[in-house]
């Protein structure tokens, strides 16, 4: 099962709809890439309106400002947009939007516990990637060899045992699963369609959780084009 796919013409994401016969609830996963065409985010926003509840990501911390600023510059360089500018909350007034990520205080608390050399290395890698992308990368290169399949091994940013990976991937996935289970419990007797609006690598782990641990099956799926490889 593919989650993100690139071909000669475009890069696209797969939106999956999950159901389970013993559960009144349904889940829809929306794998996000943070740079795309405005139409991509508009289409995702349109699809979010079929949900009763949406669990979404986002870290409101200056510790991640370098990554955010680099996304903004790369998007402008490639004639694209970024997620937080295009998915507007006012268009989803009828949907209950729940922040299902770490809080600013939690993220910064974990960040301070990461060894200084890992933090410096991570920021250096982010800065290098930013300048390399601005000078060398085209739209067609942006997700080169970055297609994501359900059963792919989840790659590490800096290594399996680093606290950077533990924070950016594991702790955030754990928090999202906590919110999924909480919503299921709160709405035990009321059928709900629950959307999960998160980065594609996180969606990979959440899909494995729904399929392997919770016994959900895929009801249907559809591709949404994130951006064409020609401007």
């Amino acid at each position: 099962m593919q989650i993100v796919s690139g071909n000669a013409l475009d890069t696209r994401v797969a939106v999956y709809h999950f159901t389970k016969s013993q559960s009144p609830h349904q889940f829809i996963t929306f794998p996000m890439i943070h740079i795309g065409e405005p139409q991509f985010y508009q289409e995702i926003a349109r699809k979010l309106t079929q949900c009763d509840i949406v669990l979404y990501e986002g870290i409101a911390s200056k510790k991640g400002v370098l990554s955010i600023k680099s996304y903004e510059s790369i998007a402008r360089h490639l004639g694209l947009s970024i997620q937080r500018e295009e998915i507007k909350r006012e268009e989803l007034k009828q949907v209950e939007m729940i922040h299902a990520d770490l809080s600013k205080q939690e993220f910064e608390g974990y960040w301070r516990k990461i060894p200084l050399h890992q933090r410096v290395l991570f920021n250096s890698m982010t800065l290098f990637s930013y300048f390399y992308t601005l000078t060398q990368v085209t739209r067609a290169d942006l997700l080169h060899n970055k297609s994501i399949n359900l059963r792919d091994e989840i790659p590490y940013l800096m290594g399996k045992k680093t606290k950077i990976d533990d924070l950016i991937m594991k702790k955030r996935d754990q928090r999202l699963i906590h919110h999924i289970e909480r919503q299921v419990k709160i709405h035990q007797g009321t059928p709900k369609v629950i959307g999960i609006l998160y980065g594609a690598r996180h969606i990979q782990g959440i899909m494995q959780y729904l399929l392997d641990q919770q016994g959900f099956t895929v009801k249907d799926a559809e591709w949404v084009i994130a951006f064409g490889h020609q401007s």
Side-chain angles (χ1 to χ4, degrees):
M1 293 169 61
Q2 285 190 300
I3 299 169
V4 177
S5 177
N7 57 49
L9 297 176
D10 56 48
T11 294
R12 53 187 63 192
V13 304
V15 174
Y16 286 94
H17 194 152
F18 297 86
T19 59
K20 182 168 75 170
S21 58
Q22 307 96 309
S23 172
H25 306 307
Q26 302 177 44
F27 288 90
I28 305 177
T29 53
F30 299 90
M32 296 308 296
I33 56 178
H34 301 298
I35 298 175
E37 299 276 8
Q39 297 92 327
F40 166 61
Y41 300 113
Q42 291 161 12
E43 180 63 12
I44 292 295
R46 188 185 69 78
K47 292 182 182 302
L48 289 173
T49 60
Q50 64 190 296
C51 302
D52 300 301
I53 299 164
V54 169
L55 306 177
Y56 68 93
E57 68 178 336
I59 301 291
S61 170
K62 291 183 179 180
K63 302 300 182 185
V65 72
L66 184 60
S67 296
I68 294 168
K69 292 296 183 185
S70 67
Y71 281 136
E72 291 173 347
S73 297
I74 291 165
R76 285 195 297 269
H77 171 65
L78 297 175
L80 298 169
S81 297
I82 61 174
Q83 175 183 342
R84 67 184 178 87
E85 290 178 345
E86 297 293 341
I87 296 184
K88 300 178 175 62
R89 293 280 296 273
E90 58 266 23
E91 297 172 359
L92 299 166
K93 289 180 181 177
Q94 76 277 28
V95 179
E96 184 180 359
M97 303 291 290
I98 297 174
H99 182 247
D101 212 329
L102 299 175
S103 70
K104 177 180 183 291
Q105 293 76 15
E106 288 173 317
F107 183 85
E108 292 183 352
Y110 287 129
W111 181 263
R112 286 191 291 270
K113 294 177 183 177
I114 295 172
L116 179 60
H117 73 277
Q118 288 186 22
R119 287 182 276 163
V120 171
L121 180 58
F122 176 75
N123 285 331
S124 299
M125 289 169 58
T126 300
L127 194 61
F128 172 80
S129 176
Y130 163 63
F131 283 116
Y132 178 80
T133 302
L134 278 185
T135 57
Q136 303 293 328
V137 173
T138 66
R139 287 191 183 196
D141 298 327
L142 192 58
L143 290 181
H144 182 62
N145 293 329
K146 294 289 179 67
S147 291
I148 300 174
N149 293 291
L150 177 66
R151 299 303 176 184
D152 287 346
E153 183 177 352
I154 296 176
Y156 297 102
L157 297 172
M158 294 180 57
K160 186 174 182 179
K161 296 183 179 180
T162 65
K163 290 185 179 294
I164 290 281
D165 278 273
D166 183 61
L167 171 56
I168 292 176
M169 293 302 297
K170 187 176 179 181
K171 281 186 168 53
R172 295 177 67 205
D173 283 357
Q174 289 172 343
R175 177 54 53 86
L176 176 54
I177 288 172
H178 164 78
H179 277 278
I180 290 172
E181 293 176 347
R182 184 170 184 271
Q183 290 305 310
V184 167
K185 186 174 182 179
I186 289 172
H187 302 288
Q188 207 167 348
T190 308
K192 296 290 182 180
V193 178
I194 302 171
I196 303 174
L197 183 71
Y198 244 80
R201 281 295 176 193
H202 295 278
I203 290 293
Q204 181 187 10
I206 294 307
M207 285 176 60
Q208 292 174 3
Y209 163 78
L210 290 173
L211 291 166
D212 300 342
Q213 297 183 41
Q214 297 302 313
F216 280 81
T217 58
V218 174
K219 177 184 177 183
D220 55 46
E222 60 181 312
W223 289 108
V224 182
I225 295 173
F227 58 87
H229 291 170
Q230 299 296 323
S231 59

